[in-house]
């Protein structure tokens, strides 16, 4: 049997026996916000030109390969900010067909600033899962963190998305000491009577984001702050989930923690990433040794079987776990905007 035929219709498994079935696709490396923890040096990064990024047609081809031959179960669109890309809602409508054809779930992660007025359209498209990033409930602080005075737009988008029926709307909060740690309890109150899931995310280091140990707050510390006021009841999570989930008696909303640094979940990692310019990364923090470029492959007419073979070879480069935060902070070429969060 040839190597190519061997790989046809085979799950994607790495050297540590981890099955990969979750793909995150960055639709653009451009963003309309300049969050202090993501793109503090915004003057050095203006985004790729359109011919440098995957076209929607190419993205749909990639999705079909992953949903079909590679048997992926989840795809999430991210960025940069996915909603700044022109025509993006048409893409979301097109994936509905793929969702119906394969057993696959689509989601997006957005800063929510451009969602107002479009939440129902999004809900009626192929997108089932919605994460909205929001790091402060205070107007001045939102401006300080993001560089834009858009808090009300994001709050309106959250209201609209909840009403549109996203179940639940997940709210991503990156917690940084002396920036927004004093709002942890406000965020918990925010979900009391609402179908929202607040997710407190540990601050992660990237080469360009001036991460410092002083700014880092661990999951345990966040949890202690919440438990000074509320009782958190652990909820069952699927092994592939990255969040630790909790309910609070009498609360409609849920509270979760994404503990990428203090209690990493590399041992159950099922994710691959494709950047806006088509590069596949096997880990958010990988240095690119494994990189294959879908833009080059598709524009040079590689067949689906050849592409599948290359993906199977690349996954063997995945490390068992990512290095410690101080080491990650030194990886200059890594940044969230190009890799896609
Ligand atoms: N623009 C979209 C947004 O704001 O949600 C999608 C891209 S953003 C890079 C994806 C997620 O990564 C957001 O929830 C953001 O807060 C998170 N993120 C970015 N930099 C991070 C960091 N250094 N540590 C932890 N989370 C980070």
């Amino acid at each position: 049997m040839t190597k190519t035929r061997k790989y046809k219709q085979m799950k994607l498994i790495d050297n540590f026996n981890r099955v990969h079935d979750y793909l995150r696709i960055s639709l653009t490396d451009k963003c309309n916000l300049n969050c202090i923890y993501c793109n503090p040096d915004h003057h050095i990064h203006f985004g790729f030109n359109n011919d440098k990024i995957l076209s929607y047609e190419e993205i749909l081809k990639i999705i079909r390969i992953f949903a079909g031959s590679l048997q992926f179960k989840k795809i999430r669109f991210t960025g940069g900010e996915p909603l700044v890309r022109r025509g993006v809602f048409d893409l979301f409508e097109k994936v509905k067909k793929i969702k119906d054809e394969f057993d696959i779930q689509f989601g997006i992660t957005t800063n929510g600033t451009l969602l107002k007025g479009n939440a129902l359209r999004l809900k009626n498209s192929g997108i089932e899962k919605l994460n909205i990033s929001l790091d402060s409930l205070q107007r001045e602080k939102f401006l300080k963190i993001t560089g834009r005075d858009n808090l009300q737009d994001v709050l309106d988008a959250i209201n609209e998305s909840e009403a549109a029926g996203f179940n639940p709307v997940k709210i991503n909060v990156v917690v940084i000491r002396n920036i927004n740690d004093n709002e942890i309890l406000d965020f918990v109150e925010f979900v009391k009577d609402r179908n929202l899931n607040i997710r407190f995310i540990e601050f992660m280091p990237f080469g360009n984001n001036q991460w410092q140990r002083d700014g880092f707050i661990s999951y345990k510390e966040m949890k202690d702050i919440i438990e000074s006021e509320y009782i958190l009841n652990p909820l069952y999570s699927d092994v592939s989930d990255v969040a630790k989930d909790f309910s609070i008696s009498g609360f409609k909303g849920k509270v979760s923690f994404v503990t990428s640094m203090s209690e990493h979940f590399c041992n159950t990692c099922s994710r691959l990433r494709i950047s806006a310019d088509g590069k596949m990364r096997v880990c958010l923090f990988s240095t690119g040794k494994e990189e294959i470029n879908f833009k080059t492959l598709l524009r040079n007419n590689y067949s689906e079987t050849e592409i599948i073979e290359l993906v199977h070879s690349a996954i063997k480069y995945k490390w068992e776990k990512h290095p410690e935060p101080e080491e990650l902070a030194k990886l200059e070429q890594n940044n969230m905007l190009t890799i896609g969060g």
Side-chain angles (χ1 to χ4, degrees):
M1 191 187 291
T2 67
K3 207 174 173 196
T4 310
R5 279 176 56 209
K6 184 179 93 187
Y7 283 133
K8 190 84 182 141
Q9 289 295 337
M10 211 173 103
K11 281 187 190 297
L12 190 62
I13 303 178
D14 70 4
N15 286 340
F16 303 94
N17 236 1
R18 293 172 293 205
V19 176
H20 289 70
D21 59 6
Y22 180 5
L23 178 65
R24 296 174 73 95
I25 302 177
S26 173
L27 294 181
T28 174
D29 61 334
K30 293 185 178 140
C31 190
N32 56 345
L33 300 182
N34 288 303
C35 298
I36 49 172
Y37 54 81
C38 184
N39 188 25
D41 296 331
H42 58 274
H43 56 280
I44 60 162
H45 192 82
F46 296 102
F48 296 122
N49 294 329
N50 278 354
D51 62 327
K52 286 249 173 80
I53 61 175
L54 292 165
S55 67
Y56 286 141
E57 203 187 4
E58 288 165 341
I59 290 170
L60 288 166
K61 272 191 193 152
I62 293 170
I63 290 174
R64 283 196 164 273
I65 294 174
F66 277 88
S69 301
L70 291 165
Q71 302 175 31
F72 271 46
K73 297 283 169 245
K74 287 190 206 168
I75 294 191
R76 178 168 292 267
F77 298 114
T78 174
E81 169 48 40
L83 301 191
V84 300
R85 187 160 170 185
R86 196 171 301 155
V88 76
F89 285 93
D90 297 335
L91 173 75
F92 299 154
E93 273 149 21
K94 287 193 178 128
V95 300
K96 193 169 191 330
K97 200 162 158 246
I98 303 179
K99 175 171 125 57
D100 294 341
E101 194 177 326
F102 300 95
D103 177 24
I104 189 158
Q105 185 185 73
F106 288 92
I108 67 164
T109 301
T110 170
N111 62 34
T113 55
L114 301 171
L115 185 54
K116 193 172 153 182
N118 282 308
L120 195 56
R121 183 174 178 196
L122 187 71
K123 184 71 182 66
N124 291 334
S125 73
I127 304 294
E128 267 177 88
K129 299 281 175 186
L130 172 62
N131 289 32
I132 299 180
S133 305
L134 174 64
D135 302 312
S136 178
L137 294 166
Q138 300 169 11
R139 185 176 168 191
E140 282 302 312
K141 204 189 290 175
F142 183 97
L143 174 63
K144 183 176 159 196
I145 294 173
T146 66
R148 292 272 301 265
D149 188 12
N150 279 131
L151 173 63
Q152 196 53 51
D153 292 327
V154 180
L155 293 175
D156 290 348
I158 293 171
N159 291 343
E160 231 187 73
S161 305
E162 192 187 356
F166 284 100
N167 182 23
V169 180
K170 294 188 177 177
I171 311 291
N172 288 357
V173 186
V174 178
V175 183
I176 306 180
R177 192 182 306 282
N178 296 331
I179 301 284
N180 58 353
D181 53 329
N182 59 351
E183 288 192 62
I184 290 177
L185 293 174
D186 296 344
F187 272 114
V188 172
E189 269 303 307
F190 184 66
V191 306
K192 184 167 192 234
D193 300 312
R194 308 186 55 178
N195 189 13
L196 303 178
N197 177 188
I198 199 87
R199 290 156 40 101
F200 295 109
I201 301 179
E202 287 182 346
F203 180 28
M204 296 186 288
F206 290 90
N208 69 338
N209 78 348
Q210 293 148 24
W211 183 91
Q212 289 188 343
R213 179 61 70 181
D214 297 354
F216 176 76
I217 300 201
S218 70
Y219 145 64
K220 287 223 163 68
E221 194 177 338
M222 296 184 218
K223 191 162 167 268
D224 283 348
I225 292 170
I226 298 172
E227 286 182 329
S228 67
E229 293 282 329
Y230 306 96
I231 296 170
L232 289 172
N233 311 306
L235 293 169
Y236 166 81
S237 319
D238 190 83
V239 282
S240 66
D241 287 345
V242 298
K244 295 179 174 42
D245 302 323
F246 296 85
S247 65
I248 296 176
S249 301
F251 270 52
K252 190 168 175 195
K254 293 194 173 49
V255 175
S256 303
F257 302 90
V258 180
T259 64
S260 337
M261 293 295 112
S262 68
E263 290 184 23
H264 69 75
F265 26 81
C266 301
N267 53 338
T268 55
C269 182
S270 59
R271 299 168 171 215
L272 288 186
R273 291 182 156 78
I274 297 181
S275 64
D277 59 339
K279 294 173 182 158
M280 190 185 92
R281 290 281 179 103
V282 294
C283 169
L284 179 57
F285 300 106
S286 65
T287 49
K289 261 191 288 176
E290 80 286 6
E291 207 162 84
I292 58 176
N293 191 326
F294 278 90
K295 186 164 58 76
T296 315
L297 298 179
L298 292 172
R299 292 182 193 182
N300 286 293
N301 299 318
Y302 275 59
S303 69
E304 177 164 338
T305 38
E306 285 169 320
I307 293 175
I308 293 166
E309 185 179 332
L310 288 168
V311 174
H312 276 283
S313 304
I315 198 69
K316 303 295 178 203
Y317 281 96
K318 186 153 176 161
W319 48 26
E320 189 173 8
K321 61 183 172 71
H322 64 65
E324 292 303 311
E326 276 74 9
E327 286 307 305
L328 293 174
K330 291 185 208 149
L331 299 176
E332 284 299 325
Q333 73 275 41
N334 269 12
N335 73 72
M336 269 282 201
L337 274 179
T338 32
I339 303 164

